[in-house]
Amino acid sequence: MDKEEYITESKVQDIPADYDLQEDDDSPIEEVRVTISNTDDPSMPCNTFRMWFLGLLFTAIISFINQFFYLRQTQISIGYSVVALISLPLGHLMAIFLPTKDVNIFGFSFSLNPGPFSVKEHILIGTMTAVNTSTAYAVDIVILQKLFYNSEKPFIAGLLLVFTTQITGFALAGALRKFLIRPAHMIWPSTLVTASLFRSLHATSNTPAEVGRMTRMRYFLLVTLGSFIWYWFPGLIFPTIGMISWICWIKPDNVVLSQLTGSNGLGIGTISLDWAAASYYVQPLVTPWFAQVNILVGFILVAWVMVPWAYYTDLWKSKNYPILSASLFLEDGALYNKSEILIDNVLNDDKYRNYGPVRMDSFFALTYGVGFAGLMATVVHVILYHGQEMMARWKSARQENEDIHSRLMRVYPEVPDWWYASLFVISLALSLVTCVVWEYMPWWAVLLAIGIAIIFVLPVGIVQAVTNQQPGLNIVTEYVIGYLLPGHAIANVTFKTYGYNVNIQALTFTADLKLGHYMKIPPRVMFMAQLISTLISGIINLSTATWLINSREKICTLQGYPFTCRSTNTFYSASVIWGAIGPARVFGNVDGALYAPVQWGFLVGALLPVPFWLATKKFPNVTWLKYVHWPVLLAATSNMPPALPYFYTNGLFLGFIFAFLLRRYRYNWWARYNYLTSAALDTGVAICGLVIFFCIQLEELSMPNWWGNPKDGVLDHCPLGGANFYGYTATAEE
């Protein structure tokens, strides 16, 4: 079929005169050329009853599952791939069995079944659920107030907090279109993976399997079944296989060996046969090998070089604390009791001085320094490598020739700027009302937090669009408000949520808009799908978390396993460090602060990209120089804690097999089955985890204790992995 035949007669008048569809007209980016079609069919249905029904259904299901697993020891996040594979047969079934008659509701007329289930409907269903792949960040504030600070707010306060921190970022995405969506070289690697998956499914979903090869759907179902069966072992029957610290077993009473090789230490040699752990951060079957190499280098530099050096030289009296922990301590290694220094959740200076300054392990402290460096490296890198382009784009969105995909998108009416502007004004007003009425933080702090998000959203977005890595603003937001409002923990985490999460949400929505750009989804339909699904998922996220914290005893503690809330506990520790106590007393020079040197990370991060940028200019033919990307390297360990080192090592090992070896030496298998394998493993683990919870743990049943499921809860049989250098393990606040 000729390309001109894809353009329906009703749309011809919308296409500018310079719109030229030649066979050789394609994207200038190779990765895009081999993945994305340079044709479109504007008549293909997308805004259909089927899309909304399945999209909202999966929005509800995935929002519940992801929030449910977010609070567990090993987290699972179900995203595009799983929903794409499950919704495909459902969409085809609806296309077969739904009546074709028109329906009129409130003056709107539409067909229940406009024809075959289309790839555009499918992508919109996936987008509606992908918006909710990460749970609403503000839910952690609600959990903190209930469990850690005993200052619970009404449900409506938490709901408005969730809505405003999610939607404000969405409003910002509209301003990023000309910088991060229309430029051809802003490729957004993750969207190429998603687009490839959808195109593959629709290219082969109705085609018999090739001779000697099974269909993708059959393969997906078989691997899902295998993953479901297997997860019963690390998830219930034999949890030790999820953290096999075999080197530690040589001499488990040796503290140093335990710290270096135990699953709660640096995890050297620890093997995990638990997909949930291995895929926690790296996503080894999806993340490109180049990105995984950057993660590996950054991980080794921090976790296996800097941390052992700092710890065993007793920097900051590190030996008094575990080698890796998100907990806070007194100088003697006892856990820090926040109730001894707070009155009505506000720091009391005299009580703090009498009780003693807060201490943390060297890993935690160095992570903050690396975070400072990563933030500045991001800014400097974007200025050096993308500064000229940013200025050109600022002056004119269409100053340079557009690629084929931008010209194809001219057929569809763009979302008016006033839609985004109105949404921003409404969300900003609700943010101010929420924070002032329920005393989360002052009005000026709301404006400052959103201002920080706006300033950094473009440079962080450029890094993500090019490298698939996203430097976070969590540390800088904590740092700023910690100096402006010291002693106020809830104000600190609220400020961080508005500054950090608004930035993340803006880029999440932008990535989805780029996928719609590649796959020719009408922008206005995408806008409504994203907005409505975000509101629904926020309600479900908060309701699920509220249900769990009200129904599970000892939730968010080690005794509440598997609901140990690793991320929430890290969030809590940060609220104490940056909020209740404040950076001046931790990283400054007030009341015995020790960790001021980590602030040099700001300067180091600003300097690191400069020599490599100069080297690429002087030696343009040295190819490896262009792969040195300091924002990515420095962001590698940003999730530790709560992530544990063995999550990285096992994930990167799988990445070496799938993303490097199989892609290079078994490309045909990799291209056909790799992403399906990742999706199927995720699906099997998620279903099994839900079955174990609702059928066994909710009924207060448990597996008998044996070596693979020890009664003492030390699953890796390495009891000193979380101890300090002297073998002491702090177990209760003192």
Side-chain angles (χ1 to χ4, degrees):
M1 181 180 290
D2 293 333
K3 293 180 182 178
E4 286 80 356
E5 294 178 23
Y6 284 99
I7 308 300
T8 61
E9 183 178 354
S10 62
K11 291 293 182 180
V12 171
Q13 66 270 24
D14 298 327
I15 302 175
D18 63 346
Y19 186 83
D20 185 19
L21 287 177
Q22 302 297 327
E23 289 293 340
D24 59 352
D25 192 359
D26 211 334
S27 172
I29 308 300
E30 180 180 2
E31 292 86 347
V32 178
R33 286 199 304 272
V34 300
T35 305
I36 307 299
S37 172
N38 64 344
T39 62
D40 180 35
D41 179 5
S43 66
M44 185 180 292
C46 60
N47 190 18
T48 65
F49 169 77
R50 296 180 306 220
M51 182 275 286
W52 285 106
F53 177 81
L54 292 176
L56 295 177
L57 174 65
F58 281 105
T59 292
I61 294 172
I62 299 305
S63 298
F64 170 77
I65 291 176
N66 287 348
Q67 183 64 60
F68 179 87
F69 278 97
Y70 174 79
L71 299 178
R72 290 170 65 92
Q73 172 79 0
T74 51
Q75 300 174 3
I76 301 169
S77 181
I78 305 299
Y80 262 122
S81 54
V82 175
V83 173
L85 291 158
I86 296 176
S87 62
L88 179 62
L90 296 179
H92 286 310
L93 287 174
M94 294 182 76
I96 294 172
F97 293 108
L98 280 179
T100 57
K101 67 177 182 179
D102 288 345
V103 175
N104 288 285
I105 298 179
F106 303 117
F108 294 96
S109 178
F110 58 90
S111 172
L112 291 176
N113 189 353
F117 184 60
S118 74
V119 64
K120 294 189 179 184
E121 292 175 281
H122 202 185
I123 288 170
L124 282 164
I125 292 167
T127 299
M128 291 176 73
T129 52
V131 167
N132 318 302
T133 299
S134 298
T135 60
Y137 197 72
V139 170
D140 268 338
I141 299 178
V142 176
I143 298 174
L144 250 63
Q145 290 180 301
K146 168 78 173 180
L147 298 181
F148 295 88
Y149 288 103
N150 300 315
S151 60
E152 187 176 8
K153 303 288 185 182
F155 184 85
I156 186 62
L159 186 60
L160 286 174
L161 194 67
V162 169
F163 280 168
T164 54
T165 53
Q166 299 291 96
I167 297 300
T168 305
F170 184 29
L172 292 181
L176 300 174
R177 289 173 292 178
K178 68 179 180 180
F179 298 105
L180 299 180
I181 296 176
R182 292 170 189 159
H185 57 282
M186 293 296 164
I187 63 174
W188 294 86
S190 61
T191 64
L192 294 179
V193 173
T194 304
S196 177
L197 174 64
F198 280 107
R199 290 192 65 206
S200 297
L201 290 175
H202 283 264
T204 62
S205 58
N206 294 318
T207 304
E210 299 174 18
V211 177
R213 305 174 75 180
M214 70 176 69
T215 63
R216 285 175 168 85
M217 185 55 67
R218 185 180 180 190
Y219 177 84
F220 171 76
L221 294 175
L222 287 174
V223 176
T224 297
L225 177 62
S227 176
F228 173 85
I229 295 172
W230 175 255
Y231 190 68
W232 282 92
F233 292 94
L236 182 69
I237 301 170
F238 193 0
T240 291
I241 63 174
M243 49 193 80
I244 305 173
S245 300
W246 61 275
I247 299 178
C248 180
W249 300 346
I250 297 172
K251 195 173 178 58
D253 59 349
N254 185 292
V255 174
V256 174
L257 184 66
S258 298
Q259 290 177 329
L260 293 176
T261 65
S263 66
N264 289 311
L266 300 187
I268 298 174
T270 294
I271 299 170
S272 177
L273 302 181
D274 180 358
W275 170 251
S279 63
Y280 172 76
Y281 173 75
V282 178
Q283 295 182 306
L285 276 65
V286 176
T287 303
W289 178 239
F290 160 71
Q292 294 194 49
V293 170
N294 279 271
I295 293 171
L296 175 64
V297 173
F299 168 80
I300 291 175
L301 285 175
V302 176
W304 288 356
V305 176
M306 294 173 61
V307 169
W309 164 79
Y311 189 82
Y312 293 112
T313 58
D314 205 22
L315 180 66
W316 303 315
K317 299 186 178 180
S318 297
K319 292 182 178 180
N320 288 346
Y321 325 116
I323 197 168
L324 171 61
S325 174
S327 298
L328 303 175
F329 304 91
L330 287 167
E331 186 172 342
D332 63 1
L335 288 175
Y336 205 83
N337 187 349
K338 70 179 186 310
S339 63
E340 295 290 338
I341 62 173
L342 302 180
I343 297 179
D344 295 329
N345 290 324
V346 177
L347 180 72
N348 180 276
D349 292 346
D350 293 333
K351 290 172 70 70
Y352 178 79
R353 295 188 185 98
N354 291 333
Y355 186 61
V358 68
R359 297 289 184 253
M360 69 185 84
D361 66 89
S362 54
F363 200 129
F364 208 179
L366 288 172
T367 297
Y368 281 124
V370 173
F372 295 152
L375 178 67
M376 293 307 300
T378 299
V379 174
V380 173
H381 176 91
V382 169
I383 292 173
L384 294 176
Y385 289 86
H386 303 281
Q388 292 182 345
E389 176 205 348
M390 288 169 58
M391 292 302 299
R393 288 258 159 205
W394 183 262
K395 295 176 181 177
S396 174
R398 301 183 183 273
Q399 199 168 41
E400 61 183 75
N401 294 329
E402 295 177 319
D403 70 353
I404 180 63
H405 303 293
S406 292
R407 298 207 303 278
L408 284 170
M409 285 299 290
R410 295 189 202 175
V411 172
Y412 305 103
E414 184 58 86
V415 176
D417 289 338
W418 72 264
W419 286 21
Y420 285 106
S422 299
L423 190 62
F424 179 78
V425 171
I426 293 170
S427 59
L428 178 60
L430 287 176
S431 300
L432 291 167
V433 170
T434 302
C435 291
V436 173
V437 170
W438 284 285
E439 299 179 341
Y440 283 104
M441 63 180 179
W443 63 269
W444 57 264
V446 177
L447 299 179
L448 179 59
I450 295 177
I452 291 175
I454 293 172
I455 291 171
F456 283 98
V457 69
L458 183 56
V460 173
I462 289 174
V463 171
Q464 184 176 355
V466 174
T467 70
N468 203 37
Q469 299 296 308
Q470 186 187 79
L473 300 182
N474 51 327
I475 293 178
V476 70
T477 51
E478 293 167 325
Y479 188 86
V480 170
I481 196 64
Y483 273 107
L484 295 177
L485 278 178
H488 294 76
I490 298 303
N492 189 280
V493 293
T494 304
F495 185 92
K496 175 173 68 171
T497 302
Y498 276 101
Y500 168 58
N501 190 62
V502 165
N503 184 279
I504 287 180
Q505 287 300 108
L507 297 178
T508 298
F509 290 127
T510 302
D512 289 335
L513 290 175
K514 185 69 175 186
L515 176 65
H517 182 84
Y518 281 146
M519 304 303 289
K520 316 305 175 294
I521 306 297
R524 297 187 180 188
V525 180
M526 177 71 82
F527 177 93
M528 295 306 301
Q530 288 178 307
L531 178 61
I532 293 172
S533 63
T534 299
L535 294 174
I536 292 174
S537 67
I539 297 172
I540 295 174
N541 283 162
L542 184 59
S543 300
T544 303
T546 302
W547 164 61
L548 285 172
I549 62 179
N550 288 329
S551 62
R552 297 292 299 179
E553 292 185 5
K554 299 180 179 179
I555 190 172
C556 296
T557 67
L558 293 177
Q559 292 73 32
Y561 182 88
F563 290 93
T564 55
C565 313
R566 294 186 60 84
S567 294
T568 304
N569 274 286
T570 302
F571 194 78
Y572 161 68
S573 293
S575 76
V576 175
I577 294 171
W578 299 99
I581 297 173
R585 289 183 167 89
V586 179
F587 301 105
N589 55 4
V590 178
D591 292 336
L594 281 181
Y595 306 103
V598 303
Q599 294 180 105
W600 285 100
F602 287 114
L603 178 61
V604 172
L607 295 176
L608 282 175
V610 176
F612 289 89
W613 177 74
L614 293 174
T616 58
K617 296 296 183 182
K618 185 172 181 61
F619 307 104
N621 295 324
V622 180
T623 57
W624 67 268
L625 284 172
K626 67 180 180 180
Y627 294 112
V628 179
H629 204 292
W630 283 104
V632 177
L633 285 168
L634 295 170
T637 56
S638 60
N639 276 359
M640 288 195 295
L644 296 171
Y646 79 92
F647 292 0
Y648 284 71
T649 52
N650 284 272
L652 291 166
F653 176 74
L654 291 177
F656 175 71
I657 294 174
F658 284 87
F660 178 71
L661 293 179
L662 290 178
R663 191 179 191 279
R664 171 169 290 191
Y665 300 109
R666 294 291 185 271
Y667 181 81
N668 290 336
W669 183 95
W670 181 89
R672 185 176 180 84
Y673 296 122
N674 180 71
Y675 299 124
L676 299 183
T677 304
S678 180
L681 291 171
D682 285 343
T683 304
V685 169
I687 295 173
C688 185
L690 290 173
V691 170
I692 290 173
F693 175 76
F694 285 106
C695 297
I696 297 178
Q697 294 171 345
L698 199 60
E699 299 297 325
E700 298 185 354
L701 303 175
S702 60
M703 279 295 297
N705 296 121
W706 63 292
W707 183 85
N709 183 33
K711 185 177 181 179
D712 61 6
V714 184
L715 301 180
D716 65 348
H717 299 279
C718 191
L720 298 179
N724 69 8
F725 183 77
Y726 308 104
Y728 168 72
T729 303
T731 57
E733 294 185 347
E734 301 175 6

